[in-house]
Amino acid sequence: QHNYILKQTINPFLHSSSLCFRCLLLMSAWNTTKLIQSFHATPHYDGSFKPISHDFAPTESEYQEAMVQIAWPMIVAAVIFCLWRLFRHCFCSGANKKASLQHAPDLTCARISFVVLAVLSGAAIAVSFVGNNRLTNSASDLTQHAANGEDLLNTAINASNFVANSSSSLSQTVSSTNWTPYGSQVETQAMEMASELLSTSTSLRSLAQSAAQYNPADLNDDVDKYDKLRNQATIAFTVFIVLLGLVASISVCTRKPFFLLVSSFFLTLSFFLCWTLGGVELALSVGLADFCTDPGGYIIREVQNPQVYYFVGCPLAPSPFAPQLTQAASYVNASYTLLANIEQETGDTFPNIESGIVTLEASIAQLGGALACEPVHAQLIGGIHVLCTTGFDGVITQLFSHTTCGFILIFAIIILAHIVRHTDKDRGYYAGRTLMYEERTPFFADD
């Protein structure tokens, strides 16, 4: 569905003082959505409030500072709200208490409003299950694509080792053949042919070792581990919010003092957690959008591995396996030439050796196809596509859920403070022993 064009390719084997690769790989035709482009366009400022590049660079301090700059406003807003409630209690609770004792308002509307807000907050936080499911699916698909790439690469590695063993066996066959009756010159050529075949085996084993340096599934265990933890935390937090809304609604309807106090405390804690998560998820969304705008460029800059460059930069990136394949093929050709000379000089044929060399030559040609970059590249691109579609949507859904829930909790906290303040008057038999809830709940003193 997508065409991935390499905007420019620079030799990955050149080095500079700061990077092992002097290369930049851009997937210029990567079809990013308008939502990703919008988050990518978010201003990036370092700790000194200087604009920086939007290129994804999570290991650089300036980029980390930019992500903190994006996350902190929501967290600070949550802290300010809590401090505001505390300020209202410390400096205004006396006047509020006198005013509350002068009349006993009807709290029915307030209770109904609170229950509605509790239901809405539960619904908002329940949306996080949708995002959670998307993130779980994206993690599963990502690891599956990586495992597929690993299988393809392992198949090529095993084939290379098999051909290397075949070449080594053929070399032993040539060495063990009795060449003495044909004279010293033929015997010398035969030993040279055995040496060429042994060199072929060495080159192919070197190729297998080179291919084994890159494993697309290296991070699969970490992805599974953190996805499991994230999934459990999301479920636990969502269930906590839903149960808290239920308990708070029951306490408001039944006017139980203890449950009102407990609900007041945990509602503020939940609001703070929701907006803290929202700030973190906002920064994560921007960072993921930066990555998805140019995934190839980041991978090439950070991984600094010629095998990675080859598979990501396919089909224009140079193959790191080409030297070994070319060398192995030249050894086989030299062996075939020596065998032809021996057969010409002796007048005899050696069908077992000849068929072995022909088979070896065909196997090396097939090995070149097995090490082609396209199959593994397709799996890498598939994993990136999943991360930048399903995964990004999951993060955005979580951001929407937690932020919306936090907004709803603001109004729920204010209404609950009003209910708490007037509960002792609303229930007449508390008049002789006023509970003074506003003094017990500094975060929830009513305005």
Side-chain angles (χ1 to χ4, degrees):
Q1 295 178 345
H2 301 279
N3 295 320
Y4 304 99
I5 301 174
L6 301 178
K7 195 171 185 180
Q8 63 179 18
T9 304
I10 305 175
N11 189 346
F13 303 106
L14 298 177
H15 290 70
S16 67
S17 59
S18 60
L19 294 175
C20 292
F21 292 118
R22 293 178 60 188
C23 63
L24 178 61
L25 179 66
L26 296 177
M27 295 179 177
S28 60
W30 177 265
N31 293 331
T32 56
T33 64
K34 291 187 179 298
L35 186 61
I36 289 178
Q37 294 172 7
S38 299
F39 275 88
H40 177 62
T42 302
H44 291 43
Y45 296 97
D46 63 11
S48 302
F49 293 95
K50 296 179 181 179
I52 66 170
S53 171
H54 290 208
D55 292 338
F56 185 65
T59 58
E60 296 182 6
S61 59
E62 289 184 349
Y63 190 84
Q64 294 171 358
E65 293 171 359
M67 294 300 100
V68 172
Q69 296 279 29
I70 292 172
W72 70 259
M74 290 188 65
I75 300 174
V76 171
V79 172
I80 290 175
F81 176 79
C82 295
L83 292 177
W84 172 64
R85 300 307 303 173
L86 179 62
F87 174 83
R88 295 294 299 174
H89 166 74
C90 293
F91 297 98
C92 306
S93 60
N96 288 338
K97 178 169 64 177
K98 288 182 179 180
S100 67
L101 295 176
Q102 294 176 0
H103 59 87
D106 184 3
L107 298 179
T108 302
C109 182
R111 292 193 183 100
I112 294 175
S113 299
F114 180 84
V115 172
V116 171
L117 289 174
V119 172
L120 290 177
S121 65
I125 202 66
V127 174
S128 65
F129 276 123
V130 177
N132 181 64
N133 186 57
R134 289 175 179 174
L135 288 172
T136 299
N137 291 340
S138 67
S140 177
D141 291 344
L142 179 63
T143 55
Q144 184 59 54
H145 280 290
N148 292 342
E150 180 186 29
D151 291 341
L152 290 169
L153 203 53
N154 284 338
T155 299
I157 292 171
N158 293 335
S160 179
N161 285 324
F162 177 78
V163 178
N165 292 335
S166 299
S167 180
S168 179
S169 298
L170 186 59
S171 175
Q172 293 177 0
T173 299
V174 173
S175 299
S176 61
T177 301
N178 184 15
W179 301 98
T180 304
Y182 300 103
S184 59
Q185 184 175 356
V186 171
E187 188 175 6
T188 300
Q189 290 179 327
M191 293 302 101
E192 186 178 350
M193 179 172 57
S195 177
E196 296 287 353
L197 291 171
L198 190 60
S199 297
T200 301
S201 175
T202 302
S203 295
L204 293 175
R205 293 188 191 282
S206 175
L207 185 150
Q209 292 174 356
S210 177
Q213 292 178 6
Y214 170 57
N215 181 6
D218 268 343
L219 298 178
N220 275 10
D221 290 341
D222 291 335
V223 171
D224 290 337
K225 174 183 176 181
Y226 289 113
D227 180 67
K228 183 178 180 180
L229 292 175
R230 179 203 53 75
N231 181 57
Q232 293 174 345
T234 300
I235 293 175
F237 185 64
T238 302
V239 171
F240 170 75
I241 293 293
V242 172
L243 291 178
L244 175 61
L246 180 62
V247 171
S249 298
I250 294 175
S251 64
V252 165
C253 293
T254 59
R255 291 165 290 178
K256 297 294 185 181
F258 174 76
F259 290 111
L260 282 173
L261 295 175
V262 172
S263 299
S264 298
F265 172 77
F266 281 107
L267 276 177
T268 295
L269 177 62
S270 299
F271 161 74
F272 179 78
L273 291 177
C274 278
W275 271 34
T276 299
L277 288 173
V280 173
E281 288 159 353
L282 177 61
L284 180 60
S285 300
V286 173
L288 188 55
D290 292 342
F291 170 79
C292 293
T293 300
D294 179 22
Y298 168 72
I299 294 173
I300 293 301
R301 287 193 304 270
E302 296 298 321
V303 178
Q304 302 180 4
N305 184 310
Q307 285 77 22
V308 176
Y309 180 87
Y310 170 60
F311 289 118
V312 174
C314 179
L316 298 185
S319 171
F321 313 119
Q324 292 97 328
L325 282 172
T326 302
Q327 193 176 46
S330 66
Y331 289 143
V332 172
N333 288 334
S335 300
Y336 195 84
T337 300
L338 288 168
L339 180 60
N341 292 337
I342 291 174
E343 289 180 340
Q344 184 177 4
E345 292 181 14
T346 61
D348 289 339
T349 59
F350 304 90
N352 291 337
I353 298 176
E354 183 175 0
S355 63
I357 293 177
V358 171
T359 301
L360 188 60
E361 187 176 22
S363 298
I364 291 176
Q366 293 176 355
L367 186 59
L371 287 169
C373 62
E374 286 81 4
V376 177
H377 175 77
Q379 295 300 324
L380 292 176
I381 293 302
I384 293 173
H385 177 72
V386 167
L387 181 64
C388 295
T389 52
T390 307
F392 185 78
D393 290 345
V395 175
I396 293 299
T397 303
Q398 296 275 52
L399 170 62
F400 170 80
S401 173
H402 293 143
T403 304
T404 303
C405 183
F407 270 118
I408 295 172
L409 288 177
I410 290 177
F411 296 101
I413 290 169
I414 294 174
I415 291 176
L416 183 61
H418 177 74
I419 294 173
V420 166
R421 176 179 166 224
H422 294 286
T423 295
D424 61 322
K425 296 197 67 181
D426 192 50
R427 300 185 67 181
Y429 54 85
Y430 282 125
R433 48 187 180 90
T434 301
L435 297 178
M436 303 302 180
Y437 293 108
E438 67 272 25
E439 293 183 356
R440 298 191 189 181
T441 54
F443 285 87
F444 310 99
D446 187 63
D447 296 334

